[in-house]
Amino acid sequence: MAEIVIVPSPADAGALVADEIVRLIAERPDTVLGLATGSTPLPVYEALRSRVEGLDVSRVRGFALDEYVGIDPNHPESYRSVITREVVEPLGLNPDLIHTPNGALETISHAGEDYERAIAEAGGIDLQILGIGTSGHIGFNEPGSSFASRTRVKTLIEQTRKDNARFFDRVEDVPMHCITQGLGTILGAKHLVLLAFGEGKAAAVAGAVEGPVTSSLPGSAIQLHPHVTVVVDEAAASQLAHADYYRYVAANKPAWQGL
Ligand code: F6R
């Protein structure tokens, strides 16, 4: 079972996950991070800013979960730009070691395989940060995605385009296609850390954590992974049937157990 940690606020979640990332980097300076975009991981990146002072992050490697297909990489909402702005620059990471799937149309037919190869050559992802969409997607694996899927092109469902319209001028400007790590790729990471905040995520979180394992709710794939931490605020935890048990587990967590 995943470990479910219910925290008072996104800032508390950010601090908890940032502490674990700092611990990893201190232990292994060339740690491979799996980087999510969107609003959810921002408190983690924010909390990391003060924590990396004095830490050697020059060898930290990273792989973004996804990218829009056909978007100009210099567009402010391309995930390359978002990762550069939110993670690489503020944390002082080496941009050459931080990868995003290549959404360029000219090379899209083999971009998924190229990305899979790069992840494999890095030795796999040590800690994968995940958000979850209202559709239950992780990465951009929309409902129906195979649990064996690898990095490939997917079509965003209309709800996801609406959800992401806040980053663009109009919903029509949100690209229709994306290239995303597959569920199989995500399940290959050593540690999955899924974060979710707000009532709008409560149904997706409950389905992912306590519902049946089904490709209709791709986030439920996390139930197949041996090391998962789900960090949620009270609102995102509000539909969890066993929330009291998760609180009891957290309150009685042995000191020797890490995240
Ligand atoms: C982002 C990603 C998506 C988001 C999800 C939630 O790289 O892969 O799965 O994590 O759409 O988005 P936010 O965090 O904006 O609510």
Side-chain angles (χ1 to χ4, degrees):
M1 194 189 92
E3 179 179 5
I4 320 298
V5 188
I6 303 171
V7 292
S9 72
D12 293 304
L16 189 75
V17 178
D19 282 345
E20 174 61 10
I21 291 174
V22 165
R23 193 196 63 74
L24 269 182
I25 297 172
E27 190 181 281
R28 236 194 72 198
D30 63 348
T31 288
V32 183
L33 298 175
L35 301 164
T37 46
S39 306
T40 306
L42 295 179
V44 177
Y45 303 145
E46 175 71 40
L48 276 171
R49 289 179 196 187
S50 56
R51 285 169 173 76
V52 294
E53 277 166 31
L55 190 68
D56 176 15
V57 294
S58 63
R59 292 164 58 203
V60 170
R61 295 170 291 169
F63 289 89
L65 272 171
D66 35 28
E67 178 59 286
Y68 293 114
V69 169
I71 197 167
D72 180 342
N74 296 316
H75 186 292
E77 294 307 328
S78 79
Y79 284 167
R80 179 76 224 173
S81 295
V82 172
I83 292 284
T84 302
R85 193 167 62 234
E86 303 292 350
V87 185
V88 175
E89 286 174 350
L91 302 187
L93 305 185
N94 179 349
D96 295 338
L97 300 180
I98 308 299
H99 309 270
T100 40
N102 185 351
L105 292 172
E106 308 76 54
T107 48
I108 200 68
S109 62
H110 54 86
E113 275 172 43
D114 294 347
Y115 205 59
E116 288 289 328
R117 198 176 315 112
I119 293 173
E121 282 171 5
I125 290 167
D126 293 309
L127 184 149
Q128 175 66 60
I129 301 168
L130 295 168
I132 188 164
T134 52
S135 70
H137 70 218
I138 52 174
F140 273 143
N141 295 281
E142 297 286 23
S145 294
S146 161
F147 284 4
S149 52
R150 314 301 307 189
T151 306
R152 72 225 182 284
V153 172
K154 289 291 285 182
T155 306
L156 295 174
I157 63 167
E158 216 35 54
Q159 184 59 50
T160 300
R161 293 182 72 217
K162 282 185 193 148
D163 288 346
N164 286 5
R166 66 190 193 279
F167 297 117
F168 293 82
D169 291 337
R170 305 171 311 158
V171 68
E172 295 77 23
D173 295 340
V174 182
M176 180 82 70
H177 296 105
C178 61
I179 173 165
T180 179
Q181 286 188 33
L183 294 175
T185 319
I186 292 169
L187 290 174
K190 294 179 189 76
H191 182 192
L192 303 181
V193 178
L194 187 148
L195 300 114
F197 311 120
E199 216 175 324
K201 298 293 177 73
V205 167
V209 172
E210 296 177 340
V213 174
T214 168
S215 60
S216 295
L217 203 152
S220 66
I222 64 170
Q223 294 179 41
L224 300 172
H225 193 284
H227 188 188
V228 183
T229 310
V230 176
V231 189
V232 286
D233 65 3
E234 293 287 346
S238 59
Q239 291 187 33
L240 288 169
H242 306 298
D244 287 346
Y245 175 60
Y246 307 140
R247 289 195 183 91
Y248 174 81
V249 170
N252 294 290
K253 189 173 160 111
W256 52 264
Q257 261 184 0
L259 195 64

